[in-house]
Amino acid sequence: MTESSHSPGFATTAIHHGYDPLAHHGALNPPLFLTSTYAFASAAEGAARFAGEAEGFVYSRVGNPTVAVLESRLAALEGGEAALATASGVGALTALIWTLLKTGDGIIADQMLYGCTFGLFEHHLPRFDIEVVFADLTDPANLQAALRPNTRLVFTETPTNPNMRLVDIAACAEICRRADARLVVDNTYCTPYLQRPLDLGADLVTHSATKYLGGHGDLLAGAVVGPKEIIDQVRFVGVKELNGACISAFDAFLILRGLKTLNLRMDRHSATAVKLAHDLEAHPAVAAVYYPGLDSHKQRNLAQRQMRQPGGMIALELRGGLAAGRSFMDKVKLATRAVSLGDAETLIQHPASMTHATYDPAERARHGFTDGLIRISVGLEDYEDLKQDLLGAL
Ligand SMILES: *Cc1c(COP(=O)(O)O)cnc(C)c1O
C-alpha cells in the first residue's frame, strides 16, 4: 500500500484525527476553550463570519474549537462527511427532527426504542401534526408496508434498547432510498467501532455520547453524523435556533479523552459480555437471554454480518418473572443498580419501571417487551468477579 492510499485504522483515528499538537504550542491534548464568544478583528470580519463568508467562530452555541476537534473525529470514526456534537442524545434527536420535518410529515420508527425517544415520537411529535407510525423493522418487509406518501424519515436503533433485537440496516436503507425517505440509525449501543450504519447505506447516525463514546459516566452528550449539508442545517437551525442543545467544551474534552480507549473498551465489554451471556443462559433460573453473541439469538447471522462484535449489552428474563427480576437486582453487590450504559461499572436496571416507564403497560405489550426484562450493561470489571456476583444473585 502506498503512503497516500493508506487510511489510518480505528484507534489511530480515535486518538489523532483532526488535531495537530504543533499548531497548539505542542500540547498533546486539544486545549479546552472555555469561551462563549469570539473577538472579530473588524466589523467587516464579524459580518463576514456571520454570513458564512469567512472561516472562524462567532458564538459557542454554534461552534467552539474544542468541540470542533470532537466533531471532526466523530465524523471520521463513523465514515461521515460531518458531525454535530450536542448537549445530550435527546438534544441530538430533537435538533435533527425539528430541522428536517414539518407539520404533515411522517416518520416510521421501529416499535422498540429508547424510552425517551419513544416518548418524543408517541406522545409529543403528534402535537405538532407529525405522524409517527411504529412498525416491527426487524422484518424489512414491514417497513415497505408501512411507507406512506408523507414518509420523510425512518428511525431505528440496532440492537434495540432494551430487548436486543436487530434491524438490517442495509435492507432498510435500500427501501428508504427507493421511497425517498431518510434512514436515521441510533448507533449508541454499538459505537462506530462495532457498527458503521453510514457504510451500510443509512443517511444519518445519532448518538447518546453519554454512553460508550464518553465511556466513564461523567457527562451527558449526543451527536449527529452525516452529509455536511444536513449537519450544517441541524447546527444552524436545530441547535442554534430551535433547541439550543449545544455541548459544553469541557464535555467535548472529556469525550475526546474517552475516545482514545473506545476500541479497547468495546473489545473488553464484548469479550466479558459473551462469557456472561453464556453463563446466564446456562443457569436454571434464567428463562431467556437476549444477546446477539449467542447462537440462540434469532438474528445471529445478521449480527455477524452487521456488527464487528456483539457488544456489551445483555437483556434477560428470569423464570420467576418480574418478582424474581426485582429480587435478583436487589441481591447483586458488584453490579450497580442504575440506568444508563456504556460505563466502566456494570449497571443493572429494570426497563419497565425505569428507562422505559414512558411505555405504559399496554404499549409495552404492543411494542414487544415484557415487564420481567432485566438489562445489564456489562462493565470493565474482571469477568470472574462479575460472574460470581450475577450467578450468586440468581
Ligand atoms: C441514552 C440514550 C439516548 C438518550 O441520550 P441522552 O444522552 O441520555 O440524552 C438515546 N438513545 C439511546 C439508545 C440511549 O441509550
Side-chain angles (χ1 to χ4, degrees):
M1 216 182 267
T2 65
E3 211 178 312
S4 58
S5 72
H6 176 80
S7 53
F10 190 93
T12 306
T13 303
I15 295 169
H16 291 284
H17 184 86
Y19 179 68
D20 176 10
L22 296 184
H24 297 87
H25 308 285
L28 184 65
N29 282 298
L32 176 49
F33 285 91
L34 292 178
T35 186
S36 53
T37 196
Y38 302 85
F40 310 131
S42 65
E45 193 200 75
R49 284 196 199 173
F50 263 85
E53 290 156 6
E55 287 284 306
F57 296 94
V58 298
Y59 192 62
S60 283
R61 189 173 349 100
V62 282
N64 168 287
T66 310
V67 174
V69 177
L70 171 64
E71 290 174 336
S72 80
R73 213 162 275 183
L74 288 176
L77 292 173
E78 283 286 5
E81 258 176 34
L84 169 71
T86 58
S88 68
V90 169
L93 188 63
T94 53
L96 177 70
I97 282 175
W98 291 347
T99 301
L100 293 184
L101 299 185
K102 60 179 188 327
T103 299
D105 287 346
I107 298 179
I108 298 172
D110 182 49
Q111 65 175 5
M112 195 66 256
L113 297 169
Y114 172 72
C116 297
T117 306
F118 173 75
L120 172 71
F121 285 3
E122 169 72 13
H123 300 137
H124 304 301
L125 290 182
R127 293 195 284 126
F128 302 94
D129 284 330
I130 290 173
E131 183 189 37
V132 184
V133 174
F134 292 97
D136 177 0
L137 301 188
T138 57
D139 180 356
N142 293 335
L143 171 57
Q144 184 67 49
L147 288 169
R148 299 187 183 180
N150 68 351
T151 305
R152 296 279 166 275
L153 199 141
V154 174
F155 186 92
T156 191
E157 302 165 9
T158 179
T160 57
N161 184 346
N163 58 359
M164 304 304 292
R165 295 143 69 258
L166 305 188
V167 173
D168 186 333
I169 298 172
C172 289
E174 182 55 36
I175 293 168
C176 287
R177 203 165 23 247
R178 278 186 266 120
D180 208 15
R182 289 196 175 102
L183 178 62
V184 182
V185 177
D186 179 335
N187 204 27
T188 300
Y189 262 38
C190 281
T191 82
Y193 182 59
L194 300 190
Q195 173 173 280
R196 296 227 307 181
L198 302 177
D199 291 350
L200 297 168
D203 296 287
L204 292 148
V205 162
T206 61
H207 275 285
S208 170
T210 311
K211 317 293 169 52
Y212 290 109
L213 296 181
H216 294 77
D218 49 11
L219 60 92
L220 274 106
V224 188
V225 188
K228 183 172 184 314
E229 193 198 332
I230 298 177
I231 297 301
D232 280 351
Q233 283 175 38
V234 180
R235 180 188 305 279
F236 291 107
V237 178
V239 170
K240 179 172 171 242
E241 296 180 359
L242 291 175
N243 74 0
C246 53
I247 188 173
S248 83
F250 186 64
D251 289 340
F253 179 90
L254 289 176
I255 298 169
L256 284 165
R257 178 181 164 127
L259 287 179
K260 294 185 192 191
T261 55
L262 178 61
N263 64 312
L264 297 176
R265 290 186 285 109
M266 295 313 289
D267 282 342
R268 175 65 177 258
H269 285 299
S270 278
T272 307
V274 166
K275 289 189 262 186
L276 290 175
H278 281 105
D279 295 338
L280 290 165
E281 192 172 47
H283 195 284
V286 175
V289 177
Y290 307 104
Y291 181 67
L294 291 174
D295 288 336
S296 59
H297 193 281
K298 288 198 183 104
Q299 297 160 294
R300 178 86 174 114
N301 290 339
L302 176 57
Q304 283 167 328
R305 216 165 59 232
Q306 190 164 276
M307 301 167 68
R308 188 200 292 251
Q309 290 162 17
M313 299 299 298
I314 297 175
L316 71 152
E317 266 169 282
L318 302 186
R319 292 209 187 279
L322 180 56
R326 287 229 166 103
S327 147
F328 171 62
M329 281 189 58
D330 283 338
K331 282 191 189 133
V332 294
K333 293 195 180 73
L334 177 57
T336 304
R337 283 172 293 277
V339 299
S340 198
L341 58 106
D343 294 330
E345 295 79 3
T346 293
L347 305 179
I348 184 165
Q349 67 116 355
H350 175 234
S353 67
M354 297 175 189
T355 49
H356 290 69
T358 45
Y359 287 75
D360 67 32
E363 287 167 345
R364 287 202 288 275
R366 200 163 62 239
H367 290 253
F369 82 102
T370 58
D371 281 355
L373 197 77
I374 300 286
R375 189 186 81 180
I376 303 175
S377 168
V378 175
L380 301 175
E381 301 95 336
D382 292 289
Y383 157 68
E384 288 297 339
D385 295 331
L386 289 171
K387 177 180 175 183
Q388 205 172 60
D389 190 41
L390 296 176
L391 296 193
L394 286 173

